[in-house]
Amino acid sequence: HPGQYRDLYEAEMAAVQQEIDQGLRGAIDLRHLPRIATSIVTSEGPRHRMTLNTLASAFRVLHVITGKDGPRYRYHDRTESWFELVTMQAPPRRDLRPLAEHLAELEPEHDGASWQADGPMAPIPELYFGVPAEQEYGEITRDLRPSKLPPEQVVEVVASFFAEADRSAGG
């Protein structure tokens, strides 16, 4: 009887359903890169991770948050990549730290922010431009900052990284 616990999830579920509905009506731009199991999700303002995962339909998700002060970036591997499942096979996790190092060469630290990445053993590995911080599992808590890199360049670097890593691994 999950309805008896409605007070615990009702508000968050309604917010996610509203974001998904808005996304399906065009408020969120989706671009799929099926060869590398990645989706680029672009929105104005942050979105719940459940919204991103539902709309992305990919195991690798790059969220581009547009704003007047510049784009903000957060990439994450979906949680399913943590498990070996019979029903689906997620692409192998890649260590995102070399990708963060490459992006840092293109955009050195500024305004207290830099390119950061979790190791592959984190439950939900993230790559982001922002203030260095530990991740609270399941929560989007990191302080993202505007990047000087244009979205097209970040998407190209991310896509090239995964294409090369997958090719090198034979995947």
Side-chain angles (χ1 to χ4, degrees):
H1 302 287
Q4 67 184 332
Y5 301 105
R6 182 172 308 250
D7 291 345
L8 299 174
Y9 65 82
E10 189 170 41
E12 185 176 15
M13 184 174 78
V16 168
Q17 288 173 330
Q18 182 179 11
E19 284 183 1
I20 291 170
D21 183 56
Q22 290 171 346
L24 292 172
R25 289 200 255 141
I28 295 174
D29 182 61
L30 299 171
R31 180 174 162 206
H32 303 290
L33 306 174
R35 292 189 68 205
I36 57 169
T38 303
S39 286
I40 294 37
V41 182
T42 304
S43 68
E44 292 181 12
R47 295 292 183 260
H48 195 285
R49 194 182 313 271
M50 291 173 79
T51 301
L52 298 174
N53 290 347
T54 299
L55 294 175
S57 300
F59 290 104
R60 298 168 173 161
V61 181
L62 174 61
H63 187 199
V64 180
I65 304 166
T66 60
K68 292 179 182 178
D69 55 354
R72 288 171 168 77
Y73 301 102
R74 179 193 314 273
Y75 166 90
H76 73 273
D77 285 328
R78 288 180 47 166
T79 310
E80 293 93 338
S81 65
W82 183 257
F83 305 99
E84 290 184 26
L85 302 171
V86 174
T87 55
M88 65 177 81
Q89 185 173 3
R93 286 182 171 209
R94 304 295 179 209
D95 187 343
L96 301 172
R97 294 171 291 191
L99 175 57
E101 290 171 9
H102 180 64
L103 287 163
E105 291 171 5
L106 300 173
E107 180 177 25
E109 180 178 344
H110 60 85
D111 304 319
S114 58
W115 284 98
Q116 303 292 319
D118 298 316
M121 298 308 290
I124 303 174
E126 288 186 338
L127 165 81
Y128 63 98
F129 186 80
V131 178
E134 290 296 317
Q135 179 182 180
E136 293 182 35
Y137 175 70
E139 301 295 325
I140 298 180
T141 57
R142 289 177 162 150
D143 182 8
L144 303 184
R145 298 289 172 88
S147 170
K148 295 179 181 179
L149 297 179
E152 304 80 37
Q153 184 177 16
V154 173
V155 169
E156 176 58 35
V157 169
V158 169
S160 295
F161 172 79
F162 284 115
E164 179 59 33
D166 291 350
R167 198 171 24 257
S168 295

